[in-house]
């Protein structure tokens, strides 16, 4: 991993830049450059063939001044402590910018979940909880799904925690399945929120009209719902999506000039987000290489897969037509690439604002768990729209007021809120 690609170095460098602009006290910088607490543990799991395999797991709590640490758990073959640290840090900013009373955390396991049977996955999930349950809880730290984990896994984890505590504790984890303590709208929430921010950005630049085009990287949970909502909420057209192909171990971009059909593509996608190349070709999609999504002649680019994909090496491939970069993924853009985006005046909706819809809905899920009373989907989505629009406008106002790049403006809003909470609690 190069220096530029180490996500924690990126998260710290982004923070340092804004800390300097804001003239933050040294103590505030010291608190926020590093996580408050980190746990690393071994997870021995009985495999189906009777052998024991030992996995590595992590949980990082970056900051909990505004409320319990909050953030997903990733199951990924290339997981490292530094990726988890970065993602935990971004969660602190995400919850603060969304103005929900939660802090930032993240967890992970070094594992390719597609190599596990259902039983092995369940045992690994339960083991993960057994290892850290004393540090979790609705008032301490609340995990959720992320890359490589699913609502079903959250259900198993909630069950394991409840057994250890000897009582039903649905609020210990969010993103649970519907009927198992989950919230209506949670699956759609992140992608829906991405498009709410795209709508507000288009309105701001005077570009909101039907028929706008988008190109998306990824076809997992965030990308699928971003595609649907770009089409259904905004009347737009998604002309390409790029995703990893597990069989061929490479990425492809699936293109259709008249617009992709996200429902059809979803029907030929496996549970890990791999679209079947054969079936897509049979349905008339052109298949290009995995990077092609970035250079498409579209109005909006939506990276919605993983971190570190828009770099100093490839950022110049972005077409001059692109007006908005909506970061559905966490940390997709490196510092070098950011400089180019600024210079080219592309309106960037930074990750921790753009994809805050997921955690905002997680917050609603916890509120519903506490009340033991559940809202219908329209109510959840309308509350989500309000929260995401308010977050977008707080950042936009800061950016206009202080003449800041949107990412820096989002950092200003978030850092100021976290600093205030730390001071109010007497930490500083
Ligand atoms: N994993 C999602 C994120 O990165 C959701 C986190 C949550 O719901 O706690 O924002």
């Amino acid at each position: 991993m190069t220096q530029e690609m180490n996500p924690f170095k990126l998260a710290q460098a982004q923070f340092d830049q804004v800390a300097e602009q804001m003239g933050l006290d040294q103590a505030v910088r010291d608190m926020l450059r590093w996580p408050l607490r980190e746990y690393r543990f071994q997870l021995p799991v009985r495999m189906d063939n009777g052998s024991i395999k030992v996995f590595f797991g992590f949980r990082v709590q970056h900051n909990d001044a505004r409320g319990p640490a909050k953030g997903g758990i990733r199951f990924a073959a290339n997981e490292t402590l530094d990726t988890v640290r970065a993602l935990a840090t971004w969660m602190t900013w995400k919850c603060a910018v969304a103005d929900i009373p939660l802090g930032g955390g993240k967890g992970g396991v070094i594992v390719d979940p597609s190599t596990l049977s259902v039983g092995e996955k369940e045992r690994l999930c339960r083991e993960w909880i057994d290892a850290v349950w004393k540090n979790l809880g609705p008032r301490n730290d609340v995990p959720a799904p992320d890359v490589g984990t699913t609502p079903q896994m959250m259900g198993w984890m909630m069950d394991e925690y409840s057994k250890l505590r000897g009582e039903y504790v649905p609020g210990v984890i969010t993103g649970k399945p519907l009927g198992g303590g989950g919230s209506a709208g949670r699956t759609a929430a992140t992608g829906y929120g991405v498009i709410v921010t795209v709508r507000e950005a288009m309105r701001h630049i005077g570009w909101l009209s039907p028929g706008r085009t988008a190109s998306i990287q990824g076809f997992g949970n965030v990308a699928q719902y971003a595609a649907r909502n770009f089409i259904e909420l905004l009347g737009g057209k998604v002309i390409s999506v790029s995703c990893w192909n597990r069989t061929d171990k490479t990425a492809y971009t699936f293109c259709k000039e008249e617009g992709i059909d996200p429902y059809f593509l979803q029907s030929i996608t496996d549970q890990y987000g791999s679209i079947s190349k054969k079936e897509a070709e049979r349905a008339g999609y052109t298949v290009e290489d995995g990077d092609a999504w970035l250079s498409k002649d579209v109005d909006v680019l939506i990276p919605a897969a993983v971190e570190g994909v828009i770099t100093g090496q490839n950022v110049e491939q972005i077409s001059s037509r692109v007006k908005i970069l909506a970061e559905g993924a966490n940390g997709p853009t490196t510092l070098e690439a950011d400089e180019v985006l600024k210079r080219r005046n592309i309106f960037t909706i930074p990750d921790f604002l753009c994809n805050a819809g997921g955690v905002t809905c997680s917050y609603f899920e916890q509120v519903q768990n506490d009340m033991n009373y559940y809202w219908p989907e329209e109510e959840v989505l309308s509350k989500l729209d309000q929260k995401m629009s308010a977050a977008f406008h707080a950042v936009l106002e800061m950016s206009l007021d202080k003449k800041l790049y949107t990412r820096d403006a989002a950092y200003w809003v978030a850092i100021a809120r976290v600093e205030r909470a730390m001071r109010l609690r007497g930490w500083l």
Side-chain angles (χ1 to χ4, degrees):
M1 200 182 282
T2 65
Q3 174 97 349
E4 203 199 14
M5 293 299 223
N6 179 326
F8 189 51
K9 293 258 180 309
L10 172 63
Q12 285 189 317
Q14 290 172 340
F15 171 76
D16 290 343
Q17 260 182 16
V18 180
E20 200 56 37
Q21 290 168 1
M22 292 175 79
L24 280 189
D25 286 357
Q26 192 56 44
V28 181
R29 295 188 201 203
D30 292 344
M31 279 299 286
L32 296 176
R33 283 195 95 238
W34 285 91
L36 279 180
R37 289 178 286 272
E38 303 180 342
Y39 307 100
R40 189 192 68 73
F41 33 87
Q42 287 181 306
L43 302 163
V45 174
R46 169 102 37 213
M47 306 304 276
D48 289 349
N49 66 7
S51 69
I52 298 279
K53 191 162 173 186
V54 182
F55 297 90
F56 280 108
F58 309 100
R59 185 70 184 170
V60 172
Q61 296 166 351
H62 174 261
N63 191 278
D64 56 12
R66 288 173 45 88
K70 184 84 192 82
I73 305 169
R74 300 205 313 179
F75 280 10
N78 60 353
E79 199 63 289
T80 65
L81 181 54
D82 268 353
T83 53
V84 183
R85 284 172 168 158
L87 291 158
T89 310
W90 287 322
M91 285 309 301
T92 300
W93 313 136
K94 194 180 298 189
C95 294
V97 94
D99 208 9
I100 53 178
L102 297 166
K106 205 82 177 194
V109 176
I110 306 176
V111 61
D112 173 355
S114 68
T115 61
L116 302 179
S117 71
V118 174
E120 289 165 347
K121 274 184 210 161
E122 176 171 352
R123 291 192 289 279
L124 179 55
C125 286
R126 291 188 184 274
E127 197 66 36
W128 194 92
I129 290 292
D130 294 347
V132 278
W133 72 281
K134 290 202 169 129
N135 305 301
L136 305 177
R139 302 286 173 263
N140 300 321
D141 181 357
V142 186
D146 202 286
V147 172
T149 52
T150 62
Q152 172 62 75
M153 294 180 181
M154 301 303 112
W156 291 326
M157 288 178 159
M158 183 275 279
D159 181 69
E160 187 70 10
Y161 183 84
S162 296
K163 281 180 174 149
L164 289 162
R165 285 283 305 267
E167 60 180 336
Y168 177 56
V169 193
V172 68
I173 203 160
T174 60
K176 299 180 293 296
L178 267 183
S183 170
R186 177 63 184 85
T187 310
T190 314
Y192 178 84
V194 166
I195 300 308
V196 168
T197 65
V198 169
R199 181 192 70 205
E200 295 307 302
M202 283 179 157
R203 225 173 237 156
H204 167 65
I205 60 175
W207 202 250
L208 185 61
S209 83
R212 297 295 179 208
T213 51
S215 174
I216 300 182
Q217 186 193 35
F219 205 59
N221 171 263
V222 181
Q224 288 175 5
Y225 285 91
R228 285 191 197 183
N229 285 297
F230 189 78
I231 298 164
E232 290 162 13
L233 276 184
L234 303 186
K237 196 163 79 164
V238 177
I239 63 142
S240 54
V241 297
S242 154
C243 75
W244 184 251
N245 187 285
R246 274 199 312 130
T247 330
D248 299 354
K249 297 202 173 356
T250 183
Y252 296 119
T253 303
F254 298 86
C255 315
K256 203 164 215 178
E257 268 316 303
E258 61 272 31
I260 61 126
D261 173 354
Y263 293 92
F264 168 73
L265 285 184
Q266 206 165 331
S267 74
I268 58 163
T269 301
D270 71 14
Q271 57 176 314
Y272 305 103
S274 275
I275 297 174
S276 157
K277 183 172 178 245
K278 230 195 254 148
E279 299 207 44
E281 277 170 338
R282 203 176 302 147
Y285 284 78
T286 342
V287 181
E288 299 177 17
D289 73 55
D291 298 334
W293 73 280
L294 185 66
S295 51
K296 292 287 168 192
D297 227 7
V298 289
D299 302 308
V300 184
L301 282 180
I302 309 180
V306 290
E307 64 276 0
V309 293
I310 305 179
T311 66
Q313 281 75 55
N314 65 14
V315 63
E316 296 289 2
Q317 291 169 20
I318 295 180
S319 147
S320 57
R321 167 148 171 206
V322 172
K323 293 273 185 304
I324 294 171
L325 176 74
E327 295 181 336
N330 291 313
T333 307
T334 67
L335 278 184
E336 274 179 45
D338 241 359
E339 289 309 310
V340 177
L341 297 175
K342 279 184 216 173
R343 177 162 47 73
R344 287 184 44 184
N345 220 5
I346 292 175
F347 190 98
T348 301
I349 310 170
D351 51 1
F352 64 83
L353 166 64
C354 190
N355 68 33
V359 74
T360 302
C361 194
S362 276
Y363 164 60
F364 295 155
E365 181 175 331
Q366 256 207 320
V367 170
Q368 295 170 83
N369 290 155
D370 262 3
M371 295 188 295
N372 207 11
Y373 174 76
Y374 290 82
W375 305 325
E377 178 160 350
E378 311 81 74
E379 192 171 341
V380 173
L381 293 180
S382 115
K383 285 184 162 68
L384 188 57
D385 191 332
Q386 283 170 31
K387 273 287 196 198
M388 291 301 293
S389 301
F392 178 90
H393 286 285
V395 170
L396 181 64
E397 212 170 282
M398 177 68 85
S399 148
L400 297 174
D401 191 37
K402 297 221 180 314
K403 301 200 177 1
L404 292 169
Y405 178 50
T406 44
R407 188 184 315 282
D408 296 349
Y411 266 103
W412 274 62
V413 171
I415 293 171
R417 287 178 181 164
V418 176
E419 180 189 6
R420 183 173 157 77
M422 291 198 296
R423 289 196 191 283
L424 288 172
R425 293 182 64 161
W427 292 5
L428 296 164

